[in-house]
Amino acid sequence: GQNNVEAMYRLGRLYYFDSGFHDPRRSFAWFLRAAEAGHGAARFFTGQALVTGAGTERNIPSGVKWLEGCSHMIDAKIRLCEVYSGFRGKEHANPEKAFAHALEIYARHQEKPYSGVFGKLALTALAPLAYCYEHGIGTAPDPARAVEILKGAENEAQACD
């Protein structure tokens, strides 16, 4: 049942985050089981692990499939931007997709900015768009726009101190 799927996900988190139980291979195994059973957040962690090789053999195409399946999550879009911008290897680059995901992250942030403790995440969330502008990924290079985006994110993060 659904309770078992949540328990699988929580075991994955335990082995991923808890220093006393940290075991990347076990974490991946539990995240994968929960993801295969339809758990949204587990899909993200499964995709991230496959893209980075954390607890499993690195398999970027498979990781991208998992991340695309939960691309409504900002964290998944950030990882997809990394892959599509060529950060994880030029053979996986897709500038148009990188820029499209980065623009969507930026638009969502403009609609509902991070606040409180999460304000510090603004820099992480907006960095992919700045990177695209800086390096001309999916758009014309515009280093001034990249700096403008990062300065805005840095100001938001500092306002949360």
Side-chain angles (χ1 to χ4, degrees):
Q2 194 58 33
N3 288 341
N4 290 339
V5 175
E6 184 64 24
M8 289 180 221
Y9 169 71
R10 289 179 184 262
L11 279 168
R13 286 184 58 87
L14 175 77
Y15 288 120
Y16 187 84
F17 290 109
D18 191 308
S19 61
F21 294 95
H22 186 72
D23 184 334
R25 290 202 176 281
R26 281 187 173 170
S27 175
F28 175 74
W30 284 112
F31 282 141
L32 179 60
R33 287 179 69 184
E36 288 172 337
H39 195 284
R43 289 178 183 162
F44 165 73
F45 282 106
T46 298
Q48 177 174 269
L50 286 162
V51 165
T52 62
T56 187
E57 188 174 322
R58 188 174 177 199
N59 183 332
I60 291 177
S62 182
V64 164
K65 286 179 186 172
W66 284 108
L67 291 170
E68 287 286 3
C70 62
S71 65
H72 61 283
M73 297 171 62
I74 292 292
D75 288 344
K77 287 202 169 295
I78 291 169
R79 293 296 162 262
L80 287 166
C81 282
E82 287 178 2
V83 172
Y84 291 142
S85 67
F87 182 73
R88 298 281 175 187
K90 296 296 179 203
E91 68 276 15
H92 306 290
N94 184 325
E96 291 75 25
K97 283 187 176 183
F99 190 64
H101 282 296
L103 281 175
E104 190 173 331
I105 293 166
Y106 185 77
R108 282 195 200 170
H109 180 74
Q110 295 306 306
E111 289 171 14
K112 186 177 178 185
Y114 289 109
S115 59
V117 245
F118 297 107
K120 296 204 180 284
L121 295 176
L123 197 54
T124 302
L126 301 181
L129 185 59
Y131 186 82
C132 286
Y133 277 118
E134 179 183 2
H135 298 281
I137 296 171
T139 187
D142 189 345
R145 180 72 177 123
V147 169
E148 178 185 319
I149 290 167
L150 290 176
K151 280 186 177 178
E154 186 178 10
N155 290 342
E156 286 180 45
Q158 288 175 349
C160 294
D161 284 339

